[in-house]
Amino acid sequence: MLIEQIDPQGHHVLRQRLGGAGTECHVGRDLGCDIVVDDEYAAPRHAVLTLLDDGRVSVRDLGTRNGTRVDGNRVPVDRGAVIEQGEIIVGRTRLRVRTQHTPLRPERVFRRNFVRRHRTILAVTGVSACIAHGGFMQWLDAPSSLLRSATTAALLVLALIATWTGLWALISKLNQGSWKVRVHVTIASIGAALCVWGYWLAGQLAFAAQWSVFVQVGIAAAGAVALAALYLHLREATRYGRRTAWALAGAATLVIGAIAWIITFAVEEGDVNRVALGPQVRLGAQRVVPNRDIADYLTEVDKLQLAAGRERQKSLLEAPLADADD
């Protein structure tokens, strides 16, 4: 039988192979045990594993208070349990047992995925796309010194990518023993390029079509790209499984999105050129003056002229002009 001790992160701490029918393996904190565990929840002599004649393993708990579990089920003290394979929990220590009855998967073919196979050209492409976006945005701002502004933007982009890549490369070195610099540069630069160029394109489409929904689509797409990039970083730098990597990447994406929203909101509030448009006001389409023919207006004019003539005659009769006798 093969006994492997596993730490909380899933790494193998100890691996021991035992052979021969009737061979016993004691597990506990006592130095006389075959597998000594540093676990305060384990008894000095906690459990004993015995290799049977048929190749299976007998697991017996030695009357401990916390008990012994096999695949989550507590082992009865009186009769124990017989297994072909499984995970044994002693206190809070995990032991994985494998015997000759354990089926083995076929040999996996060593294949590098697309990112690892083309990591150099992808890294160069991603970094170039990020630098091109920074220079393009400076060109749109039309600064007085375009070369200086574009150079500053390029250096800033390189510094951000280098910092982000260095962090993940260090995590890779600590967890897997290799830096994987080009892989992390590829993931970071391609992800950043897709986010910035995609968001800019969504803004242009929203302006051209006058549909603000394109902005929300661009934000959602940028969030999805960031989620995928963080997941790939975690898979390359750690030993986490798929579910754990997706969960951590999702949580990190939410935190980064919240920080970006807070920074954007603060910048917009402090911008002196920002104009608050307020709520939209839509006037109702009502016809105030009905359509009339030109003859109606001319008739009204004739009536006004006659009335004006009468008023003039009346005024002359009541108050004749001084030179009327002349």
Side-chain angles (χ1 to χ4, degrees):
M1 59 180 173
L2 179 67
I3 303 175
E4 299 172 326
Q5 182 178 348
I6 304 172
D7 63 5
Q9 287 74 33
H11 302 164
H12 296 91
V13 178
L14 173 68
R15 178 174 294 177
Q16 186 170 352
R17 180 179 179 272
L18 301 173
T23 301
E24 292 184 347
C25 178
H26 290 80
V27 182
R29 290 186 289 115
D30 192 281
L31 293 179
C33 295
D34 300 289
I35 297 181
V36 181
V37 297
D38 185 14
D39 188 350
E40 61 182 1
Y41 294 95
R45 287 186 173 270
H46 197 104
V48 58
L49 282 63
T50 305
L51 184 60
L52 303 178
D53 295 335
D54 58 0
R56 296 185 297 173
V57 177
S58 172
V59 182
R60 290 188 299 110
D61 182 79
L62 300 179
T64 61
R65 298 176 61 183
N66 293 325
T68 303
R69 297 181 180 274
V70 175
D71 294 334
N73 300 317
R74 187 159 184 166
V75 176
V77 179
D78 53 350
R79 63 178 183 276
V82 178
I83 62 173
E84 296 179 354
Q85 62 176 350
E87 183 178 88
I88 301 174
I89 299 179
V90 175
R92 289 187 175 179
T93 304
R94 297 163 54 196
L95 300 174
R96 185 176 299 164
V97 178
R98 195 179 78 183
T99 65
Q100 293 182 352
H101 295 278
T102 304
L104 300 178
R105 296 179 180 179
E107 178 186 4
R108 292 184 60 181
V109 179
F110 181 75
R111 295 177 180 175
R112 293 188 300 176
N113 56 27
F114 182 79
V115 174
R116 292 184 180 180
R117 188 165 59 250
H118 304 286
R119 57 187 182 275
T120 301
I121 187 172
L122 288 176
V124 173
T125 303
V127 173
S128 301
C130 292
I131 294 177
H133 181 270
F136 179 69
M137 297 305 296
Q138 292 297 323
W139 177 75
L140 289 179
D141 292 339
S144 57
S145 178
L146 179 60
L147 181 60
R148 179 186 302 174
S149 300
T151 303
T152 303
L155 293 177
L156 180 61
V157 168
L158 290 176
L160 292 175
I161 294 177
T163 303
W164 184 261
T165 302
L167 175 63
W168 284 107
L170 179 61
I171 296 175
S172 297
K173 181 63 176 179
L174 295 176
N175 286 275
Q176 298 188 358
S178 59
W179 293 97
K180 298 183 179 181
V181 175
R182 284 181 294 175
V183 174
H184 289 296
V185 170
T186 298
I187 298 173
S189 60
I190 293 294
L194 290 176
C195 287
V196 295
W197 281 109
Y199 182 75
W200 178 82
L201 181 61
Q204 299 305 309
L205 292 176
F207 176 78
Q210 291 298 303
W211 287 351
S212 60
V213 68
F214 282 112
V215 177
Q216 284 76 19
V217 172
I219 295 175
V225 172
L227 175 64
L230 289 172
Y231 169 77
L232 292 176
H233 277 307
L234 287 169
R235 291 290 290 174
E236 293 291 339
T238 64
R239 299 179 183 272
Y240 292 130
R242 295 180 182 272
R243 294 182 179 179
T244 305
W246 278 119
L248 292 176
T253 302
L254 293 177
V255 172
I256 294 174
I259 295 175
W261 180 81
I262 293 174
I263 294 175
T264 303
F265 181 77
V267 171
E268 288 183 354
E269 287 294 328
D271 189 1
V272 296
N273 296 321
R274 179 175 177 269
V275 178
L277 299 179
Q280 294 184 355
V281 179
R282 297 180 180 273
L283 299 177
Q286 298 180 357
R287 188 174 62 184
V288 180
V289 180
N291 293 331
R292 299 177 63 181
D293 189 74
I294 187 65
D296 297 334
Y297 288 101
L298 295 178
T299 303
E300 295 293 335
V301 171
D302 294 340
K303 292 180 180 180
L304 289 175
Q305 288 180 348
L306 291 175
R310 296 192 188 98
E311 290 296 330
R312 184 173 183 277
Q313 291 178 357
K314 183 179 178 180
S315 63
L316 290 175
L317 293 175
E318 293 177 355
L321 297 175
D323 56 350
D325 296 338
D326 297 339

